[in-house]
């Protein structure tokens, strides 16, 4: 919101993205021709009914799902090409999951430092210093030596966010980060995400938190049936929805 | 009157059966240091079991990783060399599991000794290989179930940080899987201790064979064989106790 990012460079470019799941009976078109760009510093919010393909879209961006058709370009590299080292690119694309997915056999500090140490070659001291700094930023520096099982859901998700940040990613992908949380913990996670957005982090967020979408989003995509049905600024989407399906959806969730 | 009778009998001699036992004990264990057959045999049994367990776990982990990698990923893989290799490895592992689990361990031991290593004189090595390869097949299925029990989100979290497949397995999946199946693995050790009792078939002086040698020297079966059974029982009870302590500790340590 604070920064006007309209003219910033494109960081992720998606062209004609499709994903089909073949089952015995039918072919499911989870994604059916998605074309969009994500620019540096942008907070792209993806909304839509359940089963509309939001997760599939987000997970295609870091190739957790392999697209059936189309191309995805990240920082100028075609990530779907067999020659691309996807592990290298994923280091630059953090992901935050609905169910946190912290590593239960590691302490919080180990959760956060394992990847930077093994993948970026950071020293233990450097990685821990960075992790502690990030923990302090989300108010959890005193939990560094705790195990995930000792934390509340909101704390776990804040840790998951800073774990991703430890790799200094260029983009953060969020798949319904607050959907598994008790209502009283949603706020603390959204606050961290708002803080990140203000700091200029590029984010793609699948969420049902319309308040967050309106307040923090720089652009909103409404998906249904594997397609982008409508796309615009938060005020275009929420105050002046054009498509009937979007109007129906908003009537239900707002 | 009654009292003096009792005193008389006790002072006279031990009852006949007790005297007999005492003599038997002497003949079977003390005379000519025959207890050494049991001591050395026990040491041999533990040695074979220990190294076979290590080999079994190593083989089992590899086999389990191949099997679960195949089951999880082959459907999404592009046709090509990597996919071919994975399918081939999976086939080999499946063959290994089927053959080993479908034949008696004593037959495997004899095949290893008389056919595969016909020229080798190192019986212990042969036994470790035979029992290790055998155990690996069972360990593989234990560990595979452990890997499959780990939530796929753990795998995705690892990959999304930039870890490759092997790193994700090594740092994230396998440690959790092993921890989950540690009691089952310890149990496999208990099973193996008892299974090595067929080592005598290829002339190894293990605990069972030690007792049998004493029997053949003294022509009394009762004491040496009961002693052998008792020693196995003590080992098994001891390790079972350790397993249950381990289980309790694991349960308390997290979640
Ligand atoms: N692994 C899969 N196999 C088959 N169908 C799937 C799979 N994953 C998702 N789908 C289908 O793809 C569609 C889109 O799913 P998803 O992207 O998860 O939707 P959303 O996140 O918007 O709820 C749904 O119809 C879903 O059933
Ligand atoms: Mg979803």
């Amino acid at each position: 919101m604070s920064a006007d990012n309209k003219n910033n460079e494109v960081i992720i470019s998606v062209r004609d993205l499709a994903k089909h799941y073949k089952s015995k009976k039918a072919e499911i078109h989870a994604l059916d021709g998605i074309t969009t760009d994500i620019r540096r510093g942008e907070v792209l919010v993806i909304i839509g009914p359940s089963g509309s393909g939001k997760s599939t879209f987000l997970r295609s961006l870091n190739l957790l799902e392999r697209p059936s058709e189309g191309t995805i370009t990240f920082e100028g590299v075609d990530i779907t090409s067999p020659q691309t080292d996807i592990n290298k690119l994923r280091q630059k694309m953090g992901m935050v999951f609905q169910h946190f997915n912290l590593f239960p056999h590691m302490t919080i500090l180990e959760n956060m430092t394992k990847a930077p140490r093994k993948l970026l070659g950071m020293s233990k001291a450097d990685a821990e210093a960075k992790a502690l700094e990030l923990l302090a930023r989300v108010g959890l520096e005193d939990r560094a030596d705790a195990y995930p099982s000792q934390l509340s859901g909101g704390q776990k998700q804040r840790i998951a966010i800073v774990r991703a940040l430890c790799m200094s990613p260029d983009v953060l992908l969020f798949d319904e980060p607050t959907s598994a949380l008790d209502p009283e913990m949603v706020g603390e996670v959204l606050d961290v995400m708002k803080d990140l957005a203000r700091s200029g982090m590029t984010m793609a967020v699948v969420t049902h938190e319309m308040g967050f979408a309106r307040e923090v989003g720089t652009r909103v995509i409404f998906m249904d049936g594997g397609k982008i049905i409508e796309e615009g600024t938060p005020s275009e989407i929420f105050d002046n929805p054009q498509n009937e399906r979007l109007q129906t959806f908003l009537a239900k969730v707002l | 009157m009654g009292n003096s009778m009792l005193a008389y009998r006790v002072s006279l001699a031990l009852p006949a059966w007790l005297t007999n036992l005492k003599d038997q004990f002497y003949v079977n264990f003390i005379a000519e240091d025959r207890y050494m057959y049991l001591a050395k045999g026990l040491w041999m049994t533990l040695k074979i079991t220990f190294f076979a367990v290590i080999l079994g776990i190593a083989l089992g982990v590899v086999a389990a990783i191949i099997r679960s990698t195949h089951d999880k990923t082959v459907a999404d893989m592009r046709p090509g060399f990597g996919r071919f290799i994975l399918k081939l490895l999976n086939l080999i592992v499946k063959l290994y599991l089927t053959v080993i689990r479908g034949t008696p361990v004593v037959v495997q031991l004899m095949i290893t000794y008389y056919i595969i290593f016909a020229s080798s004189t190192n019986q212990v090595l042969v036994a470790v290989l035979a029992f290790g390869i055998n155990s690996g097949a069972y360990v593989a299925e234990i560990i595979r179930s452990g890997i499959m029990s780990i939530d796929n989100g753990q795998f995705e979290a690892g990959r999304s940080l930039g870890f490759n497949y092997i790193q994700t397995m090594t740092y994230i999946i396998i440690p959790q899987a092993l921890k989950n199946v540690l009691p089952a693995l310890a149990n496999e050790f208990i099973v193996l201790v008892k299974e090595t009792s067929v080592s005598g078939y290829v002339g190894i002086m293990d605990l069972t064979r030690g007792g049998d040698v004493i029997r053949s020297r003294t022509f009394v079966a009762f004491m040496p064989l009961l002693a052998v059974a008792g020693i196995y029982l003590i080992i098994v009870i001891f390790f079972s106790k350790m397993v249950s302590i381990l289980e309790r500790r694991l349960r308390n340590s997290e979640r």
Side-chain angles (χ1 to χ4, degrees), chain A residues 59 87 90 101-102 105, chain B residues 78 153-154 156 159 171 176:
Chain A
R59 293 157 54 82
N87 298 315
R90 281 190 184 131
N101 297 346
L102 296 181
H105 61 303
Chain B
R78 278 182 284 238
Q154 291 289 309
E156 293 186 341
R159 295 307 300 269
Y171 300 139
Q176 293 184 61

Side-chain angles (χ1 to χ4, degrees), chain A residues 117-162:
Chain A
R117 290 179 60 193
K118 298 291 177 187
L119 298 172
L120 306 179
M122 276 173 91
S123 72
K124 187 167 190 255
D126 287 353
E128 287 186 349
K130 173 159 192 173
L132 287 170
E133 191 187 310
L134 283 162
L135 279 176
R137 197 166 142 191
V138 295
L140 290 170
E141 63 271 44
D142 56 332
R143 307 319 306 271
D145 296 321
Y147 281 90
S149 60
Q150 299 166 307
L151 304 182
S152 72
Q155 291 176 328
K156 283 183 194 167
Q157 196 60 299
R158 283 186 279 159
I159 299 292
I161 294 171
V162 286

Side-chain angles (χ1 to χ4, degrees), chain A residues 19-23 28-31 46-59 65 98 175-176 206 208 223 225-226:
Chain A
K19 173 75 184 182
H20 313 311
Y21 290 108
K22 285 184 214 46
S23 74
I28 300 164
H29 293 252
L31 294 179
I46 301 141
I47 61 173
S50 172
S52 58
K54 306 179 299 291
S55 294
T56 309
F57 170 63
L58 201 72
R59 293 157 54 82
E65 304 287 351
Q98 182 176 352
D175 192 359
E176 300 200 27
V206 173
H208 295 293
M223 286 182 68

Side-chain angles (χ1 to χ4, degrees), chain A residues 59 66 87 90-91 93 97 101-106 114-115 118-119 149 163 167, chain B residues 78 151 153-154 156-164 167 171-172 175-176 254-255:
Chain A
R59 293 157 54 82
R66 194 162 271 286
N87 298 315
R90 281 190 184 131
Q91 295 175 11
M93 293 189 184
F97 301 86
N101 297 346
L102 296 181
F103 307 134
H105 61 303
M106 299 180 191
K114 196 81 179 174
K118 298 291 177 187
L119 298 172
S149 60
R163 176 176 71 179
M167 291 296 288
Chain B
R78 278 182 284 238
D151 180 53
Q154 291 289 309
E156 293 186 341
R159 295 307 300 269
S160 77
L161 284 168
F163 287 125
N164 65 29
Q167 289 168 324
Y171 300 139
I172 296 157
Q176 293 184 61
E254 67 174 64
R255 136 184 14 208

Side-chain angles (χ1 to χ4, degrees), chain A residues 70-104:
Chain A
T71 57
I72 300 165
T73 315
F74 173 61
E75 296 182 340
V77 181
D78 176 7
I79 68 167
T80 52
S81 151
Q83 277 81 43
T84 304
D85 180 1
I86 185 61
N87 298 315
K88 205 90 199 151
L89 293 183
R90 281 190 184 131
Q91 295 175 11
K92 297 266 123 208
M93 293 189 184
M95 188 164 215
V96 176
F97 301 86
Q98 182 176 352
H99 295 286
F100 330 126
N101 297 346
L102 296 181
F103 307 134

